[in-house]
Amino acid sequence: MKKFFLLTLRMGIFAGIVTLLGGCGSAKDVLYLQDVTTGERQQYIHADPLIQPGDILSITVNSKNPELAAPFNLPMVSYTGASPRGMGIQYLQGHLVNNDGSITFPLLGKINAAGLTKQQLTDKIARELIAGNYLQDPIITITYQNFKISVLGEVNHPGSFTVNNERISLLDAIGMAGDMTIYGRRDNVTIVREIDGERTIFVHDLRSKEFFTSPCYYLMQNDVVIVHPNNIRVQMSGINQNNNVGVWLSVISSATSVATLVMTLTRLGNKANK
């Protein structure tokens, strides 16, 4: 009788665990790109990010004659940070894109930058340097100093992330955040994007290959990715943690009482049989 009771108890616990895990989601809820086939080719369009107010641009000008190019480069800035042995860190001072979309460039004055790609701004500065007879062979390099994206919601490591190469896909961003949790909805991933003072919302289903054609397949600076929770997580959020602990303590106490009662009745039955 005792062995039967223990076996039944173990089977019940195992069945409960299986039921709990099974209720957390199925393959169709948690797998990415469920409709792709091996070797399938997908077309996508990579649009270069547009410069926006608030961006900080690193702009360097070079020429065959470094002395002529030097006045167009901002000075290096140094600060003492958390570097080894307290050594100073140097970085090139950046050009802040003002609210009116302009930057202030040495000798050239205000130049409108907002709404342009890096290549377009590069060409624009080069033309003005040549037209002003400052340089005849300018070599201009532009990079973002504050290209970042944010990933929030049902991911393992939510937060903001700096992107060095300025080219990051939606899947890359989720990977940087430690992937979605089992409670994240693959069919309801939202991207919030601000362009020219307007906020646009995009919703994607990462279970389908259709998102490859989305303008958000590659993210832009300051995009916010939001992974929404599934119904199970929403229901769990409504349970107070302390109450949840109390429920489990109550269950354990009840199970212990039942087990004690069964064992007591078993002993009494054995004695009666003797």
Side-chain angles (χ1 to χ4, degrees):
M1 182 69 178
K2 180 179 179 182
K3 292 182 178 180
F4 175 78
F5 168 75
L6 293 176
L7 179 61
T8 303
L9 182 61
R10 290 173 182 171
M11 291 178 64
I13 294 174
F14 177 77
I17 294 174
V18 170
T19 301
L20 179 61
L21 293 177
C24 291
S26 60
K28 67 181 180 64
D29 296 322
V30 299
L31 297 181
Y32 299 102
L33 304 176
Q34 298 176 30
D35 54 354
V36 296
T37 57
T38 302
E40 181 178 352
R41 295 177 179 270
Q42 291 290 333
Q43 298 291 331
Y44 65 89
I45 299 175
H46 176 247
D48 289 332
L50 301 179
I51 298 171
Q52 304 174 28
D55 287 342
I56 301 177
L57 305 176
S58 173
I59 304 176
T60 58
V61 179
N62 292 291
S63 172
K64 292 180 180 179
N65 189 337
E67 293 182 356
L68 294 178
F72 300 99
N73 294 313
L74 296 180
M76 298 291 291
V77 178
S78 63
Y79 71 96
T80 302
S83 59
R85 301 179 182 178
M87 298 175 59
I89 299 176
Q90 288 191 329
Y91 65 97
L92 186 64
Q93 186 175 348
H95 294 265
L96 174 66
V97 182
N98 300 313
N99 290 334
D100 63 359
S102 69
I103 60 173
T104 302
F105 201 77
L107 299 182
L108 297 182
K110 279 193 173 184
I111 297 177
N112 184 60
L116 303 178
T117 64
K118 291 191 306 178
Q119 186 59 54
Q120 290 171 336
L121 181 58
T122 295
D123 296 339
K124 185 175 185 178
I125 295 175
R127 287 195 301 269
E128 295 199 20
L129 289 174
I130 295 173
N133 202 29
Y134 296 107
L135 293 171
Q136 296 305 313
D137 57 346
I139 301 173
I140 301 169
T141 303
I142 301 178
T143 59
Y144 289 93
Q145 289 188 352
N146 64 338
F147 193 108
K148 68 179 182 64
I149 52 94
S150 299
V151 186
L152 308 175
E154 284 298 329
V155 291
N156 288 296
H157 306 293
S160 295
F161 305 91
T162 300
V163 182
N164 295 325
N165 60 7
E166 302 161 13
R167 181 183 174 97
I168 180 172
S169 71
L170 178 54
L171 293 178
D172 291 331
I174 293 174
M176 292 176 67
D179 200 3
M180 294 187 195
T181 69
I182 198 67
Y183 302 106
R185 288 187 57 181
R186 273 69 174 168
D187 65 334
N188 190 8
V189 178
T190 300
I191 290 86
V192 181
R193 174 172 294 174
E194 294 187 8
I195 300 178
D196 296 332
E198 294 183 354
R199 186 176 295 112
T200 305
I201 308 297
F202 302 87
V203 180
H204 297 81
D205 185 351
L206 301 191
R207 303 173 306 171
S208 171
K209 62 185 178 184
E210 296 300 324
F211 95 96
F212 280 124
T213 60
S214 166
C216 292
Y217 177 74
Y218 280 106
L219 300 177
M220 293 188 177
Q221 71 273 35
N222 303 316
D223 277 357
V224 179
V225 180
I226 302 174
V227 179
H228 296 278
N230 60 17
N231 291 332
I232 294 175
R233 174 62 83 183
V234 173
Q235 294 170 4
M236 290 174 60
S237 66
I239 302 176
N240 180 274
Q241 185 175 3
N242 294 328
N243 289 341
N244 196 32
V245 172
V247 170
W248 279 108
L249 289 176
S250 177
V251 171
I252 294 173
S253 177
S254 299
T256 303
S257 298
V258 172
T260 302
L261 177 61
V262 170
M263 293 181 69
T264 300
L265 293 175
T266 301
R267 286 197 298 269
L268 292 176
N270 291 336
K271 289 181 180 180
N273 291 332
K274 292 180 179 180

